[in-house]
Amino acid sequence: MDTDKSSAFGERLLDLVTGNVLTLLIAIGHRTGLFDAVAEGPADAVDLAVRAGLDERYVREWLGAMVTGGILSYDAATGRYSLPEEHRPFLTGSGVGNIGPAAGMLANLGVLLPQVQRCFVEGGGVPHSAFASVAGATLGEQWQRVYDEQLVSGFLPVVPGLVDGLRSGARVLDLGCGTGHAINLMAQEFPASRFVGLDLSPDAIALAEAERASRGLANASFTVADATTLATDGSFDVITAFDAIHDQREPDEVLRRIRGALTPDGVFVMVDVNLSSDLEKNLGNPFAALSYGVSLLYCVPTCRADGGAALGALWGRELAARMLADAGFDDVRFHDSPRPQNYVAACRFGRAVSEWAGG
Ligand SMILES: C[S@@+](CC[C@H](N)C(=O)[O-])C[C@H]1O[C@@H](n2cnc3c(N)ncnc32)[C@H](O)[C@@H]1O
């Protein structure tokens, strides 16, 4: 045995366990406003607890972990804690760089660990409603930030002709819309277009509808429906699916229906996980282990609970391309998105010459 290699691996495991605990504490810091309190300026534990309106004893222990974990700084002379300028975008604010929502989501997923573990033995799955009850709206919090920062200026423009089409007026469906933030943002940005969001989850659709109403959007609507019942009447110019196809119970049927629901020169814009179907091609990708893990803790059990195919988040570009072709899309182009974790596939069929045929 190579003892150096063995002790290096042991150290790496210790790092992982420490990172796991720090992730949980980052979730607490995000949700209690502790990071925002530290960001206001250096302060001792008592002042920080007052700033955040929290119990000092818990705050002090949290600060100890944050300092020794290299997340906050500590000045022993004054007893004050601070947030280094360089760490701010990753721990505070509404930007996509803030790791808080992801930490919160992982902490929530952990609550269902015994149920997922049971599935290893007994098979079956864990229903989406179980995740919704422990995670609620926070499941979509990270994507909401992505949409705020990158949907209109980042994701949509990578499909040639799409933004122009939305500006001049298109009928748009977002399939598996979740809490509907993407639809509401697009409806606000493109008033000449009409938007429909469809999702199986009544809870998610209620949140989507509440946001639509609060924004006073008359060109958006939401419906609780199963994508496998989507009418194939060629009535949409654009169909989008953000991180939703791999979660479908019957993804092949849903893709066929999407194809049938599009006008002849329509486009299906599929945003999904930018990894390969082949494990060996994902080696070295910094997002691979995280994606497999979240897929195992959420995508696979929710889909299996539905009796579904459980493609998993790592179904990959190769299988996606084959399934899109089988569904009748004979022109599929994979574009890089503003996030390295995701691709944007622009899928068409028939290649009719039209305003959408730019690329
Ligand atoms: C990972 S979430 C993505 C949600 C949303 N696009 C977002 O970005 O926040 C996948 C969504 O697909 C929905 N879904 C799964 N199967 C469905 C089906 N058969 N019909 C409609 N929606 C479905 C789930 O309810 C869930 O909201």
Side-chain angles (χ1 to χ4, degrees), residues 305-324:
D306 243 2
L311 285 177
L314 278 287
W315 63 317
R317 280 182 186 230
E318 298 88 342
L319 178 57
R322 285 200 296 278
M323 290 179 67
L324 287 162

Side-chain angles (χ1 to χ4, degrees), residues 94-339:
S94 58
V96 283
N98 187 343
I99 205 83
M105 183 196 71
L106 291 174
N108 283 337
L109 291 182
V111 175
L112 294 166
L113 218 51
Q115 295 193 45
V116 175
Q117 193 179 314
R118 180 178 44 75
C119 297
F120 275 74
V121 181
E122 297 174 7
V126 182
H128 192 269
S129 56
F131 287 95
S133 66
V134 296
T138 64
L139 271 179
E141 190 185 346
Q142 200 182 7
W143 267 99
Q144 294 198 2
R145 289 169 182 246
V146 172
Y147 294 142
D148 280 336
E149 222 167 277
Q150 298 173 331
L151 177 62
V152 170
S153 61
F155 280 91
L156 300 180
V158 306
V159 180
L162 179 58
V163 170
D164 288 344
L166 294 173
R167 290 223 182 288
S168 34
R171 290 157 299 168
V172 183
L173 170 73
D174 186 28
L175 187 135
C177 69
T179 50
H181 195 50
I183 281 283
N184 288 327
L185 286 180
M186 289 192 287
Q188 200 156 340
E189 181 71 21
F190 304 109
S193 288
R194 298 197 65 76
F195 296 86
V196 179
L198 176 156
D199 201 284
L200 205 50
S201 161
D203 295 345
I205 290 296
L207 290 168
E209 174 52 29
E211 188 190 52
R212 185 206 66 76
S214 73
R215 289 174 181 247
L217 298 166
N219 60 335
S221 62
F222 293 95
T223 177
V224 177
D226 189 327
T228 56
T229 64
L230 181 67
T232 53
D233 56 0
S235 56
F236 291 103
D237 304 301
V238 180
I239 298 181
T240 55
F242 296 95
D243 206 27
I245 295 301
H246 64 254
D247 283 332
Q248 295 302 309
R249 185 181 67 244
E250 296 172 62
D252 42 4
E253 173 65 14
V254 169
L255 289 175
R256 271 195 296 276
R257 286 192 174 256
I258 289 172
R259 150 79 177 77
L262 281 169
T263 55
D265 55 358
V267 63
F268 171 42
V269 180
M270 184 175 84
V271 174
D272 220 296
V273 177
N274 192 17
L275 282 157
S276 171
S277 311
D278 304 320
L279 172 60
E280 61 276 19
K281 292 185 186 151
N282 295 326
L283 286 170
N285 185 305
F287 298 105
L290 179 63
S291 299
Y292 278 113
V294 173
S295 179
L296 172 65
L297 295 174
Y298 173 77
C299 303
V300 170
T302 49
C303 212
R304 288 287 299 276
D306 243 2
L311 285 177
L314 278 287
W315 63 317
R317 280 182 186 230
E318 298 88 342
L319 178 57
R322 285 200 296 278
M323 290 179 67
L324 287 162
D326 288 349
F329 291 101
D330 55 13
D331 184 345
V332 176
R333 300 181 191 201
F334 288 90
H335 300 278
D336 288 337
S337 85
R339 312 177 79 215

Side-chain angles (χ1 to χ4, degrees), residues 19-43:
N20 194 6
V21 171
L22 290 175
T23 302
L24 298 176
L25 299 194
I26 286 173
I28 290 179
H30 172 64
R31 290 172 179 168
T32 57
L34 264 169
F35 285 121
D36 295 328
V38 190
E40 282 178 33

